[in-house]
Amino acid sequence: MKSYIQISTTTATKEDAQKIARYLVEQKLAACAQILGPIESTYTWKSQIETANEWLCLIKTRENLFSKVEAAIKKLHPYETPEIIAVPIKQGSAQYLQWIEDSLI
């Protein structure tokens, strides 16, 4: 059975999130990507506590495509260290999971 994941990344602008989402879907590295925001993020960066408005991009793909998605995000992302994390899709409707599969390379 194939494994599917949801990758998340955040960007400073909606346009950056849209650029990443469109590229991944066009290249068939992702079946879809939802963009949510703005969201408020609080984090430590270079020993300072920061708060920023960001846009969250949720990307649906197959687990074996993670490294390609990661490389594409790093190429397109303006952050020095972008968030790129994946969580497994433990369950989903058979029809939806098949749609993900049919949408990918």
Side-chain angles (χ1 to χ4, degrees):
M1 184 168 141
K2 295 183 180 173
S3 297
Y4 301 96
I5 57 175
Q6 178 173 273
I7 298 172
S8 61
T9 192
T10 53
T11 61
T13 69
K14 185 177 182 180
E15 293 75 22
D16 285 339
Q18 289 170 326
K19 179 172 71 171
I20 291 167
R22 178 169 284 284
Y23 179 84
L24 293 172
V25 172
E26 285 176 347
Q27 297 301 306
K28 299 193 175 291
L29 295 173
C32 68
Q34 288 97 13
I35 298 168
L36 308 169
I39 60 170
E40 185 176 294
S41 297
T42 302
Y43 52 92
T44 301
W45 182 247
K46 299 187 178 182
S47 302
Q48 298 292 317
I49 303 274
E50 304 282 343
T51 300
N53 284 328
E54 295 185 297
W55 295 83
L56 175 63
C57 192
L58 301 174
I59 302 152
K60 310 313 184 290
T61 191
R62 201 170 45 244
E63 185 175 27
N64 69 337
L65 292 175
F66 177 83
S67 61
K68 290 181 180 183
V69 173
E70 178 186 30
I73 291 171
K74 285 181 176 180
K75 179 177 88 171
L76 297 168
H77 209 296
Y79 287 1
E80 183 179 334
T81 305
E83 171 190 347
I84 306 171
I85 59 173
V87 295
I89 297 173
K90 299 294 275 180
Q91 293 184 346
S93 73
Q95 186 178 13
Y96 183 78
L97 296 177
Q98 186 60 54
W99 171 78
I100 291 176
E101 183 62 33
D102 293 344
S103 300
L104 302 171
I105 57 172

